[in-house]
Structure formats: structure tokens, C-alpha cells
Amino acid sequence: MPYRAPVAEFEFLLSHVVGYDRVTATEAHAEATPDMVHALLTEAGRICEEVLAPLNRAGDMTPARLENGVVRTSPGYADGYRAMAEAGMTAVSADPEYGGLGLPQTVTTCVNDMAGAACLALQMNPLMTQGQIEALENHATDGIKALYLPKLISGEWCGTMNLTEPQAGSDVGALSTKAEPAGDGTYRITGQKIYISWGDNDFTGNVVHLVLARLPDAPKGTKGISLFLVPKLIPEADGTPGVANSLKVVSLEHKLGLHGSPTCVMQYDGATGWLIGEENRGMAAMFTMMNNARLGVAVHGVSIADAATQAAVAYATDRTQGKPLVEGGTGTILDHADVRRMLMEMKAETFAARAMALDLAVSIDLGHAGDAAQAARAAVLTPIAKAYGTETGIKLANIGIQVHGGMGFIEETGVAQYLRDVRVSAIYEGTNGIQAMDLVGRKMMDGGAAIHALIDAVEAEAEAHEMGAPVAAMAGALRAATEDMLGRDLNDRFGGAVPYLMGFARVMGALYHLRAATAGDTAGDRMRTALARFYIARLLPEAHGLFAQARAGAADLYDLSADELAA
């Protein structure tokens, strides 16, 4: 089925659910008016529908390949990338000084949502570049900015991030890639990196890598890591790509999904690099890029949730099977209560996950404008949005297959691709377990102040709504679970971290649905009220069980020995 860009849904969320008007009230984004955003989203939506969506299946069926050391991308990807770049979709929020549009991160989030739903494998390319642009804007020297940012922002070049090594996955501090000073202000980078999304392509003039490496005599662990910019082709002073650097793609990973996105093993053999930020402070610079990517990956989950939902509704609307048990039925499987349950869940969860991603983006924008409370709120929401968004994408892709029945298991329908493509999103940019550990660990180091502030706001708002009593009550249960977490040692918290995070997400999702149901948008009132009632009655109660699991701690997780687990 053809993809439909949900521009009207974004505009409703911005106007009635996430408070985008607070962003346009800031000096930095006063010009990002609803009219401007409407024009941009409409054009981006057209490109997603007409150019990107037709490429999704081609990328899956004809994967990127490595041919004589050159990455050959899937058919049509070069044209799709060019269309995005020419429309400014690859650098919506980048600094206008270097050619960017300078729009809020909230607008970038809407654009990325549509592009990911249309063709997730290709959208991953500009996502990596967006993160690199932000890292360079915040940590690079003026010379590096002047040389690299215009090319990255225009889409002439693209960017990657290189963290993982064969022996150093989530434990980044165990990396062994070396950086030796060359004596001329540059460094020689030597080592191997794996899982590098879009490590190379055949349609941009250069590929710019941000690489974590260790200087001689650097401290052990993450405190001894530095960040380096390492281009595929070393630019001349005028920005023209020059000689090839000492790096190469060793191989492409054979993956479950995202076949159109080349995931590379990269080898650096004394490659020329430039330090970004301070020596041994590379993680601070890299986290700028990673936090950008965590919002982007949350949106990947939303993108696939939306695409899978659109496909499921379209199939159910046409599929005739069985006898209707409801008066005035359609004669299709839409008449069946269980199919309705699945479709309602898909629509309700997609809305909640999308609202959370945009809510986070608004808090990021306000934090960048100097609002410390919103910056703290964004820090709390980041792991929740990443984990909930990606788990929602996986769940709804799976439900979408179920709605299709046996046809969902047949590759020709295309819906199995959604599940294969989105599955990795729960793993990269910090597994969802790590996101949950961050929430109950680092994000509680303030004694739970930022989390309690968020719960206070949810509780107060829910109490003011006619439908809000169950939401307010569950916010109280979240507060109790939070207090319980704060009273436990770290490993006990970790044992219940994932259910705690998912219960937190349930409460936030209910709040977004409450806002939508009472927004006064008369054309959609009935639909939004029905979805809110469904979410509050059927999905919100799951939080009771999740909070009970969160309180269980970690002791019982160690009841079986290693030998007993292997028996």
C-alpha cells in the first residue's frame, strides 16, 4: 500500500499536545511559525510519499554490497538521498551560518519520522550526519567548522560515528583504537571499528567519520578516550576532496533487516585525523551525537509503528473473511473484535510514542534556549522515549503481521520487512536495558528531583481532566515506585529498571491521550476520545504489573547458577 505522510497529525500534536508554541516564543525560533512548518512538512511529506517510499522494498530486495573495496548502494538510493538533501531534509536544525535551516529539533523530529516510515534504511544516513553536525557545532574548532559543516549540511558529504570495536561494545572504555600525534597538529588513527552505519556509499563526495580513540599514556577507561574527525578523503583548503585517507571498509555486516543500509567494519591504518574537543574528553563530545541519535532512534520506532499501522488498517479494510457478529458490519475482518483490538492498540500506541518523541524534542529545544528545568526534563525523557519508541515499533510491526494473518508471513506483502528493519533499534545507541539502567541510575543521582517534578506535573494535569482520575492514580503509583527505587542499592534498581521505565512510559502515554481528547479539535474529537479511552482502560493498567516487577529487585534473578542456567 502507498505510504501517507501524517502532516495533519504532526500539526495537531504540535498545537494541542506538546506545546510547540513555547519553542516559537523563544528568540532563537521565533521565525519557525506554524505556516513555515506547514510548508516544510508538506514538501517533506510529498518527497517521502513519492520518492522515498518506493525505494523501501528495493533496498530490502537488493542490499548494499561491497565490490572491490567500494560500497554499491541499493537501486534508487542515490536519487532518494539527493531529493532529501536538495529539500534541506538532511540538516533541518543545522546552523544557518553554515547553510542550515536553523529550525527547532522538534521540526527535524517530524521530518525524520516521515522519512523513516517511508524508507528507514536510507533515512539512517542523514540521521548519522545530523548527529555529527551537532557534535561539530558544539565541540570543533572554527577551522574545522568552516571546512566541514557547509559540506555536511548541504548533503554533499555525510557523516558517521565510530564507537564499537569487536571487544568493546556497550563498554566503550575497553576500546583499543590508538591515536598517535603526528607533530603537525594531526593524529594517526589505527584500529578497527564495527557496526558502522553508512560507513561508506557511492553517492556523496566524501564520508566523514567521528572516531573514538586513545592517545598514548591516556588514562584507562572512558576518562582516557578522545574524539577524532577522520575523513575518507582528506580535503584541500578550499573543501575539494583530496587524497584518500588510510582507511577502508573491510566488510559489510549480514543483517536481519535494514539491508539497504550498509553497516561496515572499518579499518584505520595510521589514518589522518583531527582532534574534536579536548584530549581525553571524547565521550563528552560523542554524547552530544549519541543523545541526538537516541531521539532519532526513538523516532525510528515511531516511523515503523506508523508504517505498520497504515498497512494493517489498509489490509483489514479490504480483507473479506468470516461472518460479521456486529450489525451493519463491513463484511471485512474489521468486523471482528480481536482485529479491532489489534488495530486500536496500534493506533493508540503509535500516537503515544510519537507524542513522547515530540515532547522530548520540545524540551530539548527549550533547554537549548536556556531553560534549565526543561533540559533536566529532557534528560529524564531521553531514555524513556528511546526505549518505549523502539519497543513500540517492534511490537506494532509484529501485530501488523498478525493482522495480515498468513499473508503477513509472506515476504511479498512487505510487512515482514518492518519487523526485520526495526528490531535492531532496541539494541543500538544503548540497548533498552542500558536506557532503563540510566533512568534509575544516573537520572536519579539528583535524589529523584527531576523525575518527581515530571510526576508532579502529570498528576496535577490529570486531576484537572474529566477522564483523568485513573491517570492521576497511576502517576501516584509511579511516584511510589520511584521512592522504592531510590531506597534500593544500584543492582536492585537495575533488576527492576526495564519494567519501571515501561510503566513510566505508560503513564506519559496516558497523559498525551488525555490532552488529545480534550483539545477541542472538533473534527477529530470523537476519534481521539475513543483512542484515549482505549489506552486508559486497556493499556494503562499494565503499569500496575510493571511497577510490581520493578519492586522485585534483583535477588531472584541470581537464584540459578550459571551451570543451572545452562542445564
Side-chain angles (χ1 to χ4, degrees), residues 126-138 148-149 152 158-162 207-211 229-230 288-289 292:
L127 179 69
M128 296 294 99
T129 304
Q130 290 164 13
Q132 184 172 120
I133 288 169
E134 187 172 352
L136 295 182
E137 286 177 347
N138 284 279
Y148 284 87
L149 285 177
L152 292 166
C158 66
T160 77
M161 59 178 175
N162 288 230
V207 181
V208 183
H209 304 284
L210 286 184
V211 183
L229 181 149
V230 187
T288 299
M289 191 172 186
N292 180 293

Side-chain angles (χ1 to χ4, degrees), residues 40 43-55 76-92 101 111 115 122 126 153-156 203-204:
L40 187 147
E43 177 59 13
R46 183 192 66 79
I47 291 170
C48 290
E49 291 175 350
E50 298 177 4
V51 181
L52 301 186
L55 301 176
Y77 270 36
D79 291 337
Y81 177 83
R82 194 172 301 112
M84 285 193 289
E86 290 175 355
M89 293 170 63
T90 57
V92 173
L101 298 180
V111 172
L122 181 55
I153 289 169
S154 69
E156 293 175 70
F203 52 68
T204 62

Side-chain angles (χ1 to χ4, degrees), residues 346-371:
M346 294 180 83
K347 290 185 73 70
E349 289 276 53
T350 299
F351 178 87
R354 176 174 280 145
M356 183 177 292
L358 290 172
D359 188 16
L360 168 56
V362 165
S363 287
I364 290 172
D365 285 326
L366 294 175
H368 287 168
D371 189 326

Side-chain angles (χ1 to χ4, degrees), residues 160-165 167-179 189-193 196 209-215 221-222 224-230 268 274-276 278 280-287 289-290:
T160 77
M161 59 178 175
N162 288 230
L163 291 79
T164 307
E165 299 180 7
Q167 81 294 339
S170 299
D171 182 11
V172 178
L175 67 81
S176 60
T177 297
K178 298 178 181 179
I189 312 301
T190 301
Q192 187 176 97
K193 298 289 185 176
I196 309 307
H209 304 284
L210 286 184
V211 183
L212 290 180
R214 196 178 299 280
L215 289 163
T222 56
I225 294 175
S226 299
L227 182 65
F228 300 88
L229 181 149
V230 187
Y268 298 88
W274 285 261
L275 180 68
I276 301 299
E278 301 176 26
N280 303 327
R281 297 273 297 165
M283 288 304 295
M286 183 58 83
F287 264 113
M289 191 172 186
M290 288 179 66

Side-chain angles (χ1 to χ4, degrees), residues 1-6 10 48-49 52-57 89 109-124 296 299-311 350 354 414 417-418 421:
M1 61 154 282
Y3 167 71
R4 301 187 312 277
F10 291 125
C48 290
E49 291 175 350
L52 301 186
L55 301 176
N56 196 47
R57 189 67 175 154
M89 293 170 63
T109 299
C110 296
V111 172
N112 286 351
D113 186 334
M114 292 187 288
C119 186
L120 184 57
L122 181 55
Q123 192 277 330
M124 285 186 63
V299 172
H300 282 179
V302 178
S303 297
I304 295 300
D306 185 23
T309 299
Q310 289 192 27
T350 299
R354 176 174 280 145
Q417 181 187 344
Y418 294 138
D421 283 355

Side-chain angles (χ1 to χ4, degrees), residues 229-265:
L229 181 149
V230 187
K232 174 184 175 181
L233 303 174
I234 300 174
E236 303 291 348
D238 63 358
T240 304
V243 299
N245 211 342
S246 300
L247 58 88
K248 63 181 179 181
V249 178
V250 176
S251 63
L252 301 186
E253 308 287 5
H254 299 282
K255 300 179 296 184
L256 176 68
L258 291 174
H259 295 152
S261 169
T263 302
C264 304
V265 176

